[in-house]
Amino acid sequence: MFVSVLPISISYSKEMSFVDLVEQIARRLKKSYRHAKYPLSEQAKRLEVVKSGRDRLFDIIFSYEEFEFSCQFGDAVLSETKQTFNPFSRYPLAISLCNFLDAKDIEMVIESGSNFFSAAESDWFGARLVSIAEQLIIENKTVSQLELCAPAELALKVKQYERGVTKLDHETFAQNIINTSLVVPKSVALTSDQIEVNYQQLVIAAALLAEELLKAEVKAGDSVVLGLTRGPEVVVAMLACSFMGAVFVPIDLDWPDSRIASIQKQTNCTAVFVNSENERKFNGHLVVIELADLIKQSYPLGDLVKFNQINCKTAYTLFTSGTTGQPKGVSVGHLALKNRLNWIVENWGITSSDRSLQATQINFDPSLIEMLVPLMAGGSVAFPKAGRLLPEWLPSLLVKFNATMMAFVPSTLARFIDGLIPNQSLPLRVCCCGGEVLSYEIAQRFGEVTGAQLYNVYGPTEATIFCTSWHVHPQAVQSRNMPVGKAIANTQIVILNERDQVQPFGVTGEVYIAGASLANGYVGNDKETNQKFRHFEPPLLGHATLYKTGDLGWLDCDGVLHFSGRSDRQIKLRGYRIELNEIENAILSVPGVVQAACKLVKGNTSESIHAWYSTKQSIALETVRSQLAQLLPDYMLPQRIMMIDNMPLTDNEKIDYKELPIIHSVEVLKTAREPIGDLETKILELWKKALGNDSLHVNSHFFEAGADSLTAVVALNDIENIVNKKLSLHQLVANPTVASLVECINGELNKPNLLVSLGDTTRTASLYVAASGNGDLLRFKSLANCMNGVSDLHMLQPPGSTKKISIQELAALYADKIASRGSKSIYLAGFSVGGLVAVETARNLRLRGIEVKTVFIVDTILMKMPLVIIWLWQGLASVLAKLHAARQRTSGSKVLSAIQDRGLLMQVSAMRNHVLAPYDGDTVLIKSSAYRWIHGALLGGWRKVMNGRLKEVEIETSHSHFFEPGKVDQLANVLKREINKKDSD
C-alpha cells in the first residue's frame, strides 16, 4: 500500500466550531491535491530538516484508512480484518482510524514512541481523544471550550490528593516544645561555641521574653521583628512570640536600613528583638536578649498555661522580593507550619538523636527546617558563629557539632562537596536541597561522597517552606534535571492552562498549589493577595483557593512534578526568589534615570544579574550602584551595570531584553596610585589573588574587574581576619575600591574619614578645605555655617589607616575623593600645614582635567621642624595614649589635643621631605596678624613659587583663633568675596 503526505496550513480562531473547522480543513485538502505527487523526501530536503537537528518533518501523524474487504468464499462469511503495525514507532505519536468493515465500528489505533511518552502517558491518549470528540460533536463546544483532560483523568488527580490527606495537627510548634521540656527537661536543645541550652532553659527563657513583650504592650497578632544575628537567641525569640501570640518577622541585618524600615512599617512592628551589639540599628521598643542571663533565671512552669489561652492563627511573616519595588510580606499560619514540620519529622525519620546545623540565613524559610524540625522530635540545633558561612566550611562544622541534618541550595551543595577532605566521614544523615534546579550530576556526587539521604524539594514561601519532595536516587539518572517530587500531605499540585483548565498528565502549564499548606496572604496587600491566592467558584478539583506560583511545570501520571521554568520575569539566584521588576524600579528611583532593564545572564560557571539604564543627562555608574546599595539586599544587586543611550524596543514599544548589549568584564579605568598604609596594601594583595589579576590598583572597581558575590564573600572573610571586625557585603558593594573600602573600614573603627561634608547648601560651588590634622571638625563646622548659601564646604583630613604619609600621597588621596564626586570645577583651601597639601591636591586635580578656580592658603608656615622635635613629639604622644590622656581633650587642653593629633603629626613630619614646586593657578594667601613682624620669614616662600595671580589678605587674629566667633566671619568674608567674584565672571 502506498500513501502520500499532504502538508496543509490550518488557521483557526478559539471561538471556531467543530463544523467550521472540518469545513476549512476540507477546503484546504482539496486545494492541496494538485501537489499530491510532490515527494515527502523532497519536502524534507527543501525545508532543511536535517540541518535543524530533526530526522522527520513532523511529530504527529494522523491516518484515516477506509477499505471495503467484503468478499465471498462460498458460504463463508468474513468476520474480521486484522492489520499489523510496526513495533517501532517512527513518529512520537501516530493516530490511525481504521474503517474496514461496514458492519463493524471504526477502530482507532494509537502508536507512541517510548522516547517521548511513558506507557502510562500513552494509555491516556485514547480516553482524551474520545472525550474531545464527545465535546466537539455531542456538546458542540468551540475550540476554546475544550477540556483536554478526560473525566477519568480528573478523577485520578482527585484520588491522588485524597491519598495524601492526613489529620491536621492543631497544636502549635511552641506547645510541642513545652511538652518535650516536661519529658526531657535536661536534654540539649540549642548549642553553639558560646552556650548550651537545654529544653527547660529554652522554655523558661522564652517565657521570660514573652513577659517582656507583654510589658511592652505587645498583643496577640502584633508583629515582632527579629533583629538578631545567627544564634540560639533566634529560636528563643521565635518561641517567645509564639507563646503570647505575636508574629515573628525574621530579617537580615545586612539589608539596607531603608528596606528594614519598610518592613517595620508594613508590619506595624510593635517591638524588636535585638542582640546588644545591634541596638543602634533599630528604632522603637527594643528587647535586648541576653541569653546567658535568661537561662540562669527561674520561671513557674505552671504559669505557661496562660499562654495557651492566647489564640493567634499567624506564626510568622517572611519578606520576599516584590514586583512594585517594595518587598512583600508572606504571612504564614501556625497550622500550616506545624503540619509541615510534622511531615518532615515523619518522612525523614527525625529522632531525638538528630541535630541540625543552622547555616541558612534566618530570613530564608529553609532556616525553619534547621531551627524547628529537630525540636519537634526532641533533637537539637547547632549554631556556628554569626556571620557569613562559606559552603566549603560546612563539612568541618558538621563534624565539629556532630550534626546529622541541614538544608542546602544547589549552588552551595556543589561548593560543599568541594570543601570535603578526601575520604572524610561525616555525621550527616539527611538533608534537603531546594530553591534552584538541582542536576543529577551534583546529586550523584553528593550521594557518593556523603552517603546521606537527599531530598529535592520545591515550593515558594507562600506554600510554607516547600510543598513537594523527591527522594533522590542518583543512580536512576533519567534527565539532566530531576523531578521536584510529589505533593506532600494535605497539598495538591494543579497544572492549569491560560483558560484555567486543568492540564492533562505530561502537559506543561502554570503550577498552582492548593491545600492546608498555603499562607494566609500578603501583609497589608489585599490586591496582591487576591491576585495570587485565587478563589475558584465552583471549587477546582475540590479546592476553593489555589495559589498562582508563576512557575511552569508538568505532572507525570504518578503525580510527580517536573519544573519547566517561569511564566514571568521572576528568577531564582542562589536559592533567593528575585523579582527583576523590583531591581528595575530601584534603578528608576535614581534621579535622572528614565529607563531601566535587568536580566539574569549565564556565564561560563555561574549566573549573575546585569542591568542597563538610560538617562537625560550622564549619571555615573557609582551613583547608581550607591543608590541600589541603599535600597536592595546584596543578593539582588546587579553584578554589572551599563549606561546606554536608548533601550532596544520591540514592535509594540516594549523593552527588547534579548537585544540588550553584552556587558563585558572590563574594569573601569581610573587613576592608578600605589597603596598607602598597611591596610590598603594588604587588601589590594587579597583582591589581586582572589581575581587573579596583578594589574589591579587601589582605585580598581572590584566587581567591574570580574568579581561576583561568591568571590566577594571570600574576600570579605579574609578582610575581616585582618581588621578583626565584621563587614557586610553591602559595605563592599557601596565601596567597591580598595581606597573607598579602607575609608569605610576606618569609619567603622572610629578612625577619621577622609572627607566629611559639612554643608551641601548650594550644589553649585564646592569648597574643599584641607585640615591641619584630625582635630579641625568643630572649627570647620563654624566656617561652614558662615559659608551657607555661597558654597558647599567639605573637610579633607588625613586617613586613620596609616602612621606615615608623604604630602604627594595625601594629595593623591584627596584628589581621588574629590574626583569621585564628579565635580568639574572647585575651590580648594588649606589651613595651617594643610595648605601644602591643598596646593599639591590642586596640581593633581588639574592634571585630571578638573578646574581649580582658586586655592586659599590659610596661615600655612613654610618651615621644616627639626627631626629631634618630631621624635620627642611622637614619643610624648605614645606615652599619653598609653596613659589614656586622651580624656583631657574634653577638658579644653589644646596642647594635649595637638600632641595627640596623628594627622597633624603626619603632615608636619611629611613637610621635612617635601619640595614645593611652582604653581601657576590663582591663589589667595590669608595671614594672621599675630606674626606680622616675621611674615617675610614664615610666609615669604609662597611668593617665590606662586607664579599665577597671588592675592594676600591679613586678618586681625592669631593662628589658633582663626575660627573663633567674630574671627571666622572675617575668614568667611574673604572666601565669599573671591568665590562670588569668580562665579560672576
Side-chain angles (χ1 to χ4, degrees), residues 764-766 768 822-827 849-853 983:
T764 54
S766 294
Y768 294 86
S823 301
K824 300 300 181 183
S825 63
I826 64 156
Y827 294 91
I850 296 175
E851 180 187 12
V852 180
K853 292 185 175 182
D983 287 349

Side-chain angles (χ1 to χ4, degrees), residues 16-23 133 136-137 140-143:
M16 184 180 285
S17 70
F18 179 60
V19 173
D20 293 337
L21 182 61
V22 171
E23 289 178 350
L136 289 171
I137 299 169
N140 198 30
K141 285 186 176 181
T142 63
V143 174

Side-chain angles (χ1 to χ4, degrees), residues 161 490-494 512-518 543 545-547:
Y161 166 69
N490 303 304
T491 304
Q492 183 165 20
I493 300 296
V494 182
Y512 281 73
I513 304 170
S517 67
L518 291 186
H543 303 287
T545 301
L546 286 87
Y547 172 68

Side-chain angles (χ1 to χ4, degrees), residues 452-508:
Q453 295 182 62
L454 176 63
Y455 289 86
N456 189 29
V457 298
Y458 160 83
T461 300
E462 290 83 348
T464 313
I465 308 175
F466 62 80
C467 60
T468 72
S469 176
W470 176 259
H471 192 181
V472 177
H473 299 285
Q475 65 275 13
V477 176
Q478 298 175 2
S479 61
R480 182 168 182 81
N481 297 318
M482 68 179 65
V484 291
K486 290 184 178 182
I488 61 182
N490 303 304
T491 304
Q492 183 165 20
I493 300 296
V494 182
I495 308 296
L496 300 183
N497 62 20
E498 66 277 5
R499 299 189 300 276
D500 290 339
Q501 296 171 330
V502 178
Q503 294 285 58
F505 292 121
V507 179
T508 299

Side-chain angles (χ1 to χ4, degrees), residues 40-263:
L40 179 63
S41 60
E42 187 64 22
Q43 293 179 38
K45 182 179 178 181
R46 293 285 298 273
L47 293 173
E48 298 183 335
V49 172
V50 175
K51 287 185 178 180
S52 301
R54 299 173 60 89
D55 61 355
R56 58 193 177 277
L57 188 59
F58 39 81
D59 294 329
I60 302 175
I61 186 169
F62 174 79
S63 174
Y64 177 69
E65 302 172 16
E66 183 177 21
F67 294 98
E68 179 55 61
F69 286 106
S70 298
C71 57
Q72 192 171 354
F73 296 95
D75 294 333
V77 178
L78 183 64
S79 61
E80 66 176 314
T81 61
K82 287 187 177 181
Q83 182 178 6
T84 59
F85 291 87
N86 193 322
F88 301 100
S89 177
R90 182 179 176 187
Y91 298 98
L93 181 63
I95 304 171
S96 299
L97 284 182
C98 303
N99 187 7
F100 293 161
L101 289 176
D102 293 338
K104 296 286 186 179
D105 288 337
I106 294 176
E107 293 182 354
M108 180 169 62
V109 179
I110 299 174
E111 302 171 85
S112 61
S114 58
N115 291 335
F116 301 92
F117 303 102
S118 67
E121 289 172 330
S122 299
D123 289 343
W124 281 107
F125 284 131
R128 291 171 188 164
L129 289 171
V130 170
S131 174
I132 291 172
E134 290 175 344
Q135 293 176 68
L136 289 171
I137 299 169
I138 299 175
E139 301 176 32
N140 198 30
K141 285 186 176 181
T142 63
V143 174
S144 65
Q145 295 171 328
L146 288 177
E147 294 275 358
L148 295 183
C149 262
E153 198 170 2
L154 291 172
L156 177 59
K157 290 175 181 287
V158 173
K159 285 183 179 179
Q160 288 176 339
Y161 166 69
E162 290 175 345
R163 291 191 200 113
V165 173
T166 61
K167 184 178 179 181
L168 294 176
D169 182 0
H170 291 271
E171 182 183 66
T172 67
F173 76 90
Q175 291 166 335
N176 187 305
I177 293 174
I178 290 175
N179 294 337
T180 303
S181 72
L182 297 175
V183 177
V184 286
K186 301 304 180 183
S187 292
V188 175
L190 312 173
T191 184
S192 69
D193 288 332
Q194 292 78 31
I195 197 169
E196 187 170 89
V197 181
N198 63 39
Y199 273 89
Q200 186 178 73
Q201 292 170 328
L202 169 59
V203 170
I204 289 174
L208 291 170
L209 287 181
E211 295 285 0
E212 288 295 318
L213 293 179
L214 289 174
K215 291 177 184 177
E217 299 182 350
V218 176
K219 301 181 295 296
D222 286 351
S223 293
V224 177
V225 167
L226 306 188
L228 300 164
T229 56
R230 180 193 298 111
E233 293 83 358
V234 178
V235 175
V236 178
M238 290 163 53
L239 194 57
C241 290
S242 181
F243 277 180
M244 54 84 57
V247 180
F248 62 85
V249 185
I251 63 168
D252 185 346
L253 292 173
D254 285 339
W255 281 347
D257 291 343
S258 60
R259 192 178 188 87
I260 294 175
S262 171
I263 288 171

Side-chain angles (χ1 to χ4, degrees), residues 9-28:
S9 174
I10 301 172
S11 58
Y12 69 94
S13 70
K14 293 181 179 180
E15 302 307 317
M16 184 180 285
S17 70
F18 179 60
V19 173
D20 293 337
L21 182 61
V22 171
E23 289 178 350
Q24 184 198 110
I25 293 173
R27 290 193 298 269
R28 296 291 175 89

Side-chain angles (χ1 to χ4, degrees), residues 671-685 688 696-699 738-739 742 799 801-802 804-806 809-810 812-813 816:
T671 304
R673 67 167 174 81
E674 291 299 312
I676 298 172
D678 290 342
L679 190 53
E680 282 194 353
T681 302
K682 289 177 180 178
I683 293 178
L684 180 58
E685 288 303 313
K688 288 180 178 180
L696 298 179
H697 51 82
V698 294
N699 287 324
V738 172
V742 167
S801 57
T802 183
K804 185 178 180 181
I805 196 168
S806 70
E809 288 173 335
L810 185 55
L813 286 177
D816 286 346

